Amino acid sequence: MSIGIVGLGYVGLPLAVAFAEAGEEVIGVDVDHGRVAALTQGRSPIEDISDERLQAVLGSCRFTTRPVELHETEAILVCVPTPLTRNREPDLGPLLAATRALADVVRRDQLIVLESTTFPGTTRGHLVPLLEESGLRAGEDFALAFSPERVDPGRTDYTIRTTPKVVGGLTPRCTERAAAVYGRICDHLVPVSTPEVAELSKLLENIFRSVNIALVNELARLADRMDIDIWEVIDAAATKPFGFTRFNPGPGMGGHCLPVDPFYLSWKAREYDFSAEFIELAGKVNQSQPYFCVEKVERALNAVGKPVRGAKIAILGVAYKPEVGDTRESPALKIIELLRERGADIAYHDPHVPELTELGLAGTGLEDALENADLAVIVTAHPSVDYGLVVARAPQVLDLRGTTRHLGALQL
Ligand SMILES: NC(=O)c1ccc[n+]([C@@H]2O[C@H](COP(=O)([O-])OP(=O)(O)OC[C@H]3O[C@@H](n4cnc5c(N)ncnc54)[C@H](O)[C@@H]3O)[C@@H](O)[C@H]2O)c1
């Protein structure tokens, strides 16, 4: 018996490799032909899985675009994207398409688990009816559960094995089945009573981060106006050994999770005549943070008698966080767009992002980006970048991440 994974991105691929490394046969399905071809040739599209690690499991890991190949698997884990539409409403398109495909392959006694982040009620309200078009009954003929992925791309101190995994089945037997499968790759299982509890627990984790980031971003703006060093404030507060969790200010929120997931819940809340104020407010504060960063750029240039128009600005780090090449929803994109609107001449350096096709920009080496720059702006602080060199070479540095505080650069 083997494990099927649907959606081979930041979540699905590490899961596929983890099961293969634990000795399971794995069949990975993705709609992206190019991705399937690359994986089959041992080329990994994500930083967390090296080509060597992928190649080492190719004997037991097979990749395909054909969901029908999942028919004989013991379990199918669904890890497809759950984005927002242009109107910032949940877009269940990829998830419903994947589920429809599974309705044609699901068989008796199989286990299906949804891992994609989504609003409470998705598993029961959207997956069950589609899967039951197979003629089989969820929770009776086949098992169904929700188990949120907790992967944090770029993180190495916690792995799939050491991060506790929440599992909520449609029935207690479904939860047991899912826990037994995940128990092969996770040391700690956290069974909960329903899929809805599991779905909402994942959203709580993400909303917790979003709200706290917004709080500290707002305080950073106030501290700026009051001429108080927010970094020193946070360092001092963080010495409290209880009742305080450190969050740092920055250019805003990026990635596939924090700028997207909370709005799945605020959208769903409206159906219950409920306005999720914290979520909306945090989104508003975090989305406006790039504008504050651009104001800081204007002030930095103004201090040396330069307008933004015609200024050469080196943007350092365009991925949404350190050590990854993912630019989805990255605040750097917004900052570049706003600075270009104001007439700035932008170059960027990011060791993980060779080009920004959507902005028609190609990355350059660090020294090339700094060459003749009026200002360097550290938007995402990849640890591999030599910030000593940045501060030494650039006439001015604006650091949105607090990395160069000890070097005397201008901070957020
Ligand atoms: N990236 C993260 O850090 C993270 C962390 C926790 C949870 N999540 C959640 O996990 C889910 C997946 O996120 P991701 O970052 O891995 O996305 P991703 O874009 O990296 O990967 C998704 C993959 O699914 C494929 N796909 C799309 N539609 C499909 C379909 N109908 N059938 C088969 N494959 C399909 C895409 O081609 C892509 O390769 C999302 O719901 C996300 O919110 C992501």
Side-chain angles (χ1 to χ4, degrees):
M1 293 294 256
S2 53
I3 305 292
I5 313 272
V6 181
L8 301 167
Y10 284 90
V11 169
L13 184 59
L15 207 54
V17 171
F19 273 107
E21 287 175 345
E24 304 288 329
E25 291 291 317
V26 175
I27 302 175
V29 174
D30 202 291
V31 285
D32 183 338
H33 285 79
R35 177 160 292 218
V36 167
L39 291 169
T40 304
Q41 290 159 13
R43 282 184 286 117
S44 167
I46 63 169
E47 293 84 359
D48 283 356
I49 301 294
S50 66
D51 289 353
E52 296 70 37
R53 203 170 151 206
L54 173 63
Q55 286 158 14
V57 296
L58 282 184
S60 52
C61 227
R62 198 155 52 74
F63 302 108
T64 173
T65 55
R66 291 164 25 95
V68 66
E69 297 192 29
L70 298 171
H71 184 65
E72 293 301 328
T73 54
E74 171 190 3
I76 302 172
L77 316 178
V78 181
C79 312
V80 297
T82 43
L84 293 173
T85 65
R86 284 162 67 91
N87 298 336
R88 303 196 70 73
E89 292 185 346
D91 176 5
L92 290 186
L95 177 56
L96 299 183
T99 310
R100 271 187 211 102
L102 292 184
D104 293 334
V105 304
V106 63
R107 61 167 181 79
R108 196 168 283 278
D109 292 333
Q110 216 164 20
L111 165 71
I112 297 183
V113 184
L114 176 59
E115 293 229 0
S116 306
T117 310
T118 181
F119 53 78
T122 306
T123 308
R124 196 185 300 271
H126 292 268
L127 267 61
V128 168
L130 284 178
L131 292 170
E132 288 189 342
E133 283 178 18
S134 62
L136 299 175
R137 300 272 302 151
E140 292 173 21
D141 301 323
F142 66 94
L144 182 64
F146 183 84
S147 179
E149 181 49 61
R150 283 173 156 170
V151 69
D152 183 11
R155 181 177 283 281
T156 51
D157 52 351
Y158 284 96
T159 62
I160 289 182
R161 179 158 290 286
T162 58
T163 306
K165 189 114 174 79
V166 174
V167 183
L170 213 54
T171 65
R173 176 78 192 119
C174 293
T175 306
E176 269 171 40
R177 285 281 311 277
V181 167
Y182 284 114
R184 297 172 205 165
I185 57 162
C186 299
D187 289 341
H188 308 286
L189 277 303
V190 185
V192 296
S193 60
T194 61
E196 289 77 15
V197 171
E199 288 162 337
L200 187 52
S201 74
K202 170 69 188 181
L203 288 174
L204 171 60
E205 291 167 19
N206 284 354
I207 292 162
F208 173 81
R209 287 184 53 71
S210 166
V211 166
N212 279 286
I213 291 169
L215 172 67
V216 81
N217 277 338
E218 187 178 72
L219 286 183
R221 291 190 218 172
L222 174 63
D224 176 75
R225 207 169 281 193
M226 297 173 79
D227 203 18
I228 298 171
D229 179 350
I230 187 66
W231 298 96
E232 197 181 349
V233 172
I234 297 167
D235 283 350
T239 58
K240 187 178 180 188
F242 48 85
F244 183 82
T245 304
R246 182 184 183 117
F247 283 84
N248 290 329
M253 276 187 326
H256 180 38
C257 296
L258 297 191
V260 173
D261 301 343
F263 298 105
Y264 265 64
L265 187 59
S266 55
W267 175 85
K268 189 68 180 172
R270 290 200 281 277
E271 197 179 304
Y272 291 81
D273 204 11
F274 189 96
S275 173
E277 311 272 0
F278 274 97
I279 296 174
E280 296 293 344
L281 181 60
K284 200 168 123 189
V285 171
N286 288 326
Q287 276 165 24
S288 63
Q289 192 71 355
Y291 292 85
F292 172 64
C293 297
V294 166
E295 186 198 318
K296 294 276 295 191
V297 168
E298 286 167 344
R299 278 198 260 150
L301 289 169
N302 191 47
V304 292
K306 289 208 155 94
V308 175
R309 180 162 303 280
K312 286 188 180 305
I313 301 180
I315 300 290
L316 307 182
V318 295
Y320 83 92
K321 67 178 203 164
E323 303 274 52
V324 302
D326 192 351
T327 59
R328 288 179 294 183
E329 311 277 337
S330 174
L333 306 182
K334 187 73 191 172
I335 290 173
I336 292 174
E337 187 192 314
L338 293 173
L339 289 174
R340 278 178 147 186
E341 274 170 21
R342 287 158 178 74
D345 180 2
I346 303 289
Y348 88 86
H349 170 71
D350 190 314
H352 297 270
V353 185
E355 57 183 351
L356 287 174
T357 31
E358 62 273 50
L359 295 177
L361 275 175
T364 66
L366 179 60
E367 303 207 19
D368 288 339
L370 295 175
E371 179 89 24
N372 300 324
D374 296 302
L375 175 71
V377 185
I378 301 169
V379 181
T380 295
H382 294 299
S384 58
V385 171
D386 181 351
Y387 295 104
L389 179 94
V390 173
V391 173
R393 287 280 170 86
Q396 276 205 100
V397 177
L398 170 62
D399 183 351
L400 308 179
R401 297 290 187 172
T403 327
T404 56
R405 288 170 64 200
H406 59 295
L407 299 173
L410 189 60
Q411 303 297 309
L412 178 78

